[in-house]
Amino acid sequence: MTAIWQQRRSGGPQPRPGDLRTAWQRDRARVLHSAAFRRLQSKTQIMNVGENDFYRTRLTHSLEAAQIGASLINQLQQVSAPELAAMLPDLNLMETLCLAHDIGHPPFGHGGETALNYKMLGAGGFEGNGQTFRIVGKLEAYHPQHGMDLTRRTLLGLLKYPVLMPPLSAPPATSQPISLSQFKPAKALFACDADLLDWVLDPLSNQDRELFQQVHQLPQSPWQRSLHKSLDASLMELADDIAYGVHDLEDAVVTGTLNESQWHGHLDQILVQLPNELAALMQQLGQQLFANEHHLRKNAIGAMVNIFVTAIRLEQVLEAAEQPLIAYNATLPEAERLLLNSLKSVVFEHVINDPAIQQLRYRSQNMLLDLFTALHTEPERLLPRNTRSRWLQAGSQGGPTAADRILCDYVAGMTDDYAERMYRNLFMV
């Protein structure tokens, strides 16, 4: 199992002379030194980049998720049965997944993601995790055809949604959406990257692949929900959730976006549903979270992370699967999952859904819509030379849909600052 999951799509290259690193260490280095990873320093996490130099960006969020991911592995190695512990990803592999998990996010967070999806409905849609898969597998400059040319297991671990986009219908050409809420992206990979997905899943039996790629059809946007992910992806997603629910909570408290009254208004109704010991601990940590002494707040944040890290367990979620990497997931017990979901809801309701934040997101969404329209209308005039060359090549070989995907790659790769500057250059006097 180890050999086939360490394969790279290129078949190589062989390590450089004297290079004693493992395959996972090499993957980690490729992500860490990539242009896509560096761009995260100027991409929105929760609050817009540039509003304050204290709170998290996509880059610092990814670093914190990587640290939490390593803690999850350390915990599971200590508490799991030997045969289960042997399946766990290497620490370098775990960090690679967490460092890379957000590199496909476009400028301006999920608002930008929805705007790009709307513009790409007629050409296969857009979704951040699908773009991550595309960047590491095809776009980054480590290999002429295979992007970062990461190992098969690393690519499997990055698949939060290991399915392809459902058929999408483009809106009427003349329509301008009143609200983009009905155009949230389907959680899936792009059809143009089906060859890469097939290669990643090639070691699975037909039965395992059918089980692994089950979806639940939804009556409206985002149209489907994939039901399963690999063991490594479940660990990565849990580390991401903890970083979002706890560390982004810290940003909200420090900047005054979330006050103590709002905290109690949301959490007190959750505490009565928790076991007494956990509820009492959260009451204590809530007091520390809003204390004037900074060290008490930091202790509360660390203690909340510890609640989830120490509760993690491995669970067989696909009993009929032959491949252990898809048969098992990392999960939280019911009480801890309820608490984590509640912390994420606090951040969403009192930070993301704050009118001031939503006004900035509305402005940013419309900027991205206008940028995409301008570049799509005048690509040979406005695109940088290297992107224009790829756009022309894609159009000649794959037609308008392939050309639109290259244009989308360019816009999605922009940082918030770069998109703002280009918008000013094109539309403002």
Side-chain angles (χ1 to χ4, degrees):
M1 183 179 78
T2 300
I4 198 167
W5 291 107
Q6 289 190 23
Q7 289 177 353
R8 303 181 189 277
R9 198 176 183 200
S10 68
Q14 296 302 313
R16 297 184 179 95
D19 187 353
L20 302 179
R21 293 176 299 168
T22 67
W24 320 124
Q25 289 172 320
R26 294 170 68 199
D27 279 1
R28 182 180 182 275
R30 291 181 183 196
V31 170
L32 194 62
H33 294 288
S34 67
F37 181 73
R38 289 194 301 276
R39 291 190 188 104
L40 295 178
Q41 67 188 306
S42 190
K43 288 196 177 186
T44 295
Q45 170 61 12
I46 296 294
M47 302 176 185
N48 281 33
V49 171
E51 296 293 316
N52 188 301
D53 61 4
F54 167 80
Y55 49 66
R56 274 85 181 172
T57 64
R58 288 274 173 193
L59 179 68
T60 56
H61 161 77
S62 298
L63 292 170
E64 289 175 335
Q67 186 275 320
I68 293 171
S71 296
L72 295 175
I73 298 299
N74 285 328
Q75 178 74 15
L76 286 171
Q77 286 175 337
Q78 299 297 319
V79 302
S80 302
E83 63 273 17
L84 296 180
M87 298 188 312
L88 293 171
D90 175 271
L91 284 175
N92 289 286
L93 172 54
M94 189 71 254
E95 289 192 0
T96 300
L97 299 178
C98 293
L99 292 172
H101 81 280
D102 265 353
I103 61 175
H105 265 285
F108 311 127
H110 288 290
E113 181 185 39
T114 303
L116 278 184
N117 182 58
Y118 172 76
K119 284 297 186 180
M120 287 293 291
L121 285 174
F126 179 84
E127 196 277 329
N129 188 248
Q131 189 69 11
T132 293
F133 189 65
R134 183 167 170 78
I135 288 170
V136 299
K138 293 188 174 182
L139 299 183
E140 269 287 344
Y142 286 83
H143 189 277
Q145 288 88 37
H146 305 308
M148 296 187 195
D149 197 25
L150 303 179
T151 58
R152 181 184 265 117
R153 181 166 178 175
T154 298
L155 292 173
L156 179 69
L158 286 172
L159 291 178
K160 293 174 67 173
Y161 320 108
V163 296
L164 297 177
M165 281 277 182
L168 302 171
S169 299
T174 57
S175 71
Q176 185 70 13
I178 298 173
S179 169
L180 289 180
S181 60
Q182 60 182 307
F183 300 108
K184 291 179 180 178
K187 303 299 186 181
L189 308 176
F190 311 134
C192 58
D193 298 323
D195 58 327
L196 180 58
L197 177 62
D198 287 339
W199 181 81
V200 173
L201 300 185
D202 187 61
L204 302 183
S205 67
N206 290 336
Q207 176 184 312
D208 274 9
R209 179 162 178 172
E210 185 174 343
L211 286 170
F212 187 53
Q213 293 188 290
Q214 292 178 94
V215 298
H216 175 62
Q217 300 295 334
L218 303 175
Q220 57 188 16
S221 174
W223 307 116
Q224 70 179 24
R225 177 171 60 90
S226 60
L227 299 179
H228 303 292
K229 56 181 65 67
S230 70
L231 167 64
D232 299 353
S234 72
L235 283 159
M236 175 265 287
E237 188 167 52
L238 186 54
D240 183 26
D241 282 352
I242 296 171
Y244 168 55
V246 180
H247 289 301
D248 290 341
L249 174 68
E250 181 183 16
D251 279 1
V253 172
V254 172
T255 58
T257 311
L258 175 70
N259 61 44
E260 191 167 4
S261 175
Q262 293 168 327
W263 164 264
H264 284 295
H266 192 97
L267 260 292
D268 286 355
Q269 58 187 323
I270 301 299
L271 296 185
V272 299
Q273 304 177 51
L274 301 178
N276 292 338
E277 186 176 344
L278 180 56
L281 175 58
M282 282 303 300
Q283 284 183 324
Q284 177 187 349
L285 297 180
Q287 293 173 355
Q288 294 181 8
L289 190 63
F290 292 93
N292 291 327
E293 296 87 349
H294 295 330
H295 70 278
L296 292 178
R297 184 185 68 245
K298 296 302 294 185
N299 177 72
I301 293 298
M304 287 183 195
V305 172
N306 183 69
I307 289 172
F308 305 117
V309 169
T310 56
I312 193 174
R313 62 190 181 185
L314 294 178
E315 179 181 356
Q316 191 170 3
V317 293
L318 277 177
E319 294 185 1
E322 302 169 4
Q323 172 54 251
L325 289 181
I326 67 167
Y328 286 86
N329 273 187
T331 63
L332 289 174
E334 184 178 350
E336 284 78 8
R337 173 48 72 179
L338 172 62
L339 176 59
L340 181 55
N341 288 343
S342 299
L343 295 180
K344 291 167 61 180
S345 295
V346 169
V347 173
F348 178 83
E349 181 58 34
H350 295 290
V351 183
I352 296 175
N353 218 24
D354 180 80
I357 297 293
Q358 285 303 314
Q359 288 166 16
L360 287 171
R361 288 201 167 191
Y362 182 81
R363 170 182 173 271
S364 300
Q365 273 189 333
N366 282 284
M367 284 172 51
L368 217 56
L369 291 172
D370 289 342
L371 265 181
F372 191 98
T373 298
L375 295 169
H376 187 269
T377 304
E378 296 272 14
E380 295 190 64
R381 186 179 177 193
L382 300 178
L383 287 175
R385 284 188 172 86
N386 58 345
T387 304
R388 184 173 62 205
S389 175
R390 292 196 300 272
W391 178 85
L392 288 168
Q393 183 179 12
S396 64
Q397 296 177 354
T401 297
D404 283 352
R405 182 59 62 187
I406 297 300
L407 175 58
C408 184
D409 290 338
Y410 173 61
V411 177
M414 294 179 181
T415 64
D416 293 19
D417 292 340
Y418 185 91
E420 288 257 14
R421 286 197 303 272
M422 177 169 281
Y423 182 85
R424 287 197 302 268
N425 289 341
L426 293 179
F427 297 105
M428 299 178 72
V429 178

